[in-house]
Amino acid sequence: MSDDKRPIIIRRKKIIKKHHGGSWKIALADFMTALMALFLVMWILSISSEESKQQVADYFSTPLMVALTSGDKSSASTSAIKGGGDDPSHAKGEQMRIDLRRQTRPSDVRRHFQGIQERIKRAVEDDPILRELAEQLRFDITREGLRIQVVDSEQRPMFELGSDKVASYMDRLLRTLTPIINEVPNEITLSGHTDSLPYAGGERGYSNWELSADRANASRKVMLDAGLDSSKLLLVTGVADRIPMEGVESDDPMNRRITLVLHTRESAEFIKRQGYFPQDQAEYEALIRSQLEQEGNFTDQQPLK
């Protein structure tokens, strides 16, 4: 057959239009469910207290194996010959890592003190008598810890004028703070402050130094009577008028105050060592050695003084 008489075959593909189905509806429903769950979690977190948030954080920071076995050494061998040391599951190391993270992370420290602050505020707000003192409470979270200041006012002084006799509402406040302080591991210091109005006899007789110290000590006695663990106390001091509040005149009644500080572990250690750390000696010796080497007077046998 010649090429010009070859039959031409045309193939036509029949397109059948089908409905695309409802799979997109399932995907949309899954997406909306997940979105609703997200909003629900965000709403619950927004109304939760700092203590509840901390508990949730602790739950998720606990290793799964430790949580499931309540801290037991799940990988310990039951045979007569045990291997892997006394902690084959590394539970101690993991717990130490968690404890160290909690102690060293600034965000965790701040969250801890914020939780204490919120507890104190709630306790004051729940008491109809202490509620009137809320404006006289000052809270600050600093490098040393949580600083709580109870300041005087003309209408509601914390102590009788020129005396260390504690007013009834100050007594009530200190007794309210005591159980909260007992429940946290932080050690505390108490300091008393006065305004700059001097006594008639000046500083040679009974002065603002004695008054501020007596007021701090009177506060200590009230807290001890309320059940304060005495081992938590690091210092009880009187500062007189030497550290006025920021932004007020030295003779302002607000300077008459009691400052209570819940210290971080590092801050408490610094106080116990009276500002001296072991590494200070090493740094001092290194400095002296460097100076002697520069002067050409250093020998290995030479004692450093």
Side-chain angles (χ1 to χ4, degrees), residues 99-167:
D99 293 340
L100 181 62
R101 181 185 63 81
R102 289 176 181 171
Q103 294 172 2
T104 56
R105 283 184 58 179
S107 59
D108 291 342
V109 174
R110 174 169 289 274
R111 190 181 303 113
H112 168 70
F113 286 122
Q114 284 176 340
I116 299 174
Q117 178 178 329
E118 289 302 319
R119 290 183 61 187
I120 294 174
K121 286 183 176 180
R122 286 198 303 269
V124 171
E125 187 64 28
D126 291 342
D127 190 315
I129 297 177
L130 296 181
R131 196 178 301 156
E132 299 179 0
L133 296 178
E135 295 182 357
Q136 293 175 238
L137 284 174
R138 303 286 189 275
F139 295 93
D140 297 287
I141 298 177
T142 67
R143 292 182 64 181
E144 62 181 353
L146 174 62
R147 181 172 60 192
I148 307 167
Q149 297 186 92
V150 188
V151 302
D152 255 14
S153 71
E154 290 288 1
Q155 295 79 18
R156 197 178 294 104
M158 298 296 101
F159 297 86
E160 292 187 4
L161 186 62
S163 168
D164 64 346
K165 186 175 181 181
V166 183

Side-chain angles (χ1 to χ4, degrees), residues 287-299:
L287 177 62
I288 297 299
R289 184 179 290 106
S290 175
Q291 292 175 350
L292 291 175
E293 287 176 347
Q294 292 176 3
E295 297 171 359
N297 299 325
F298 175 74
T299 63

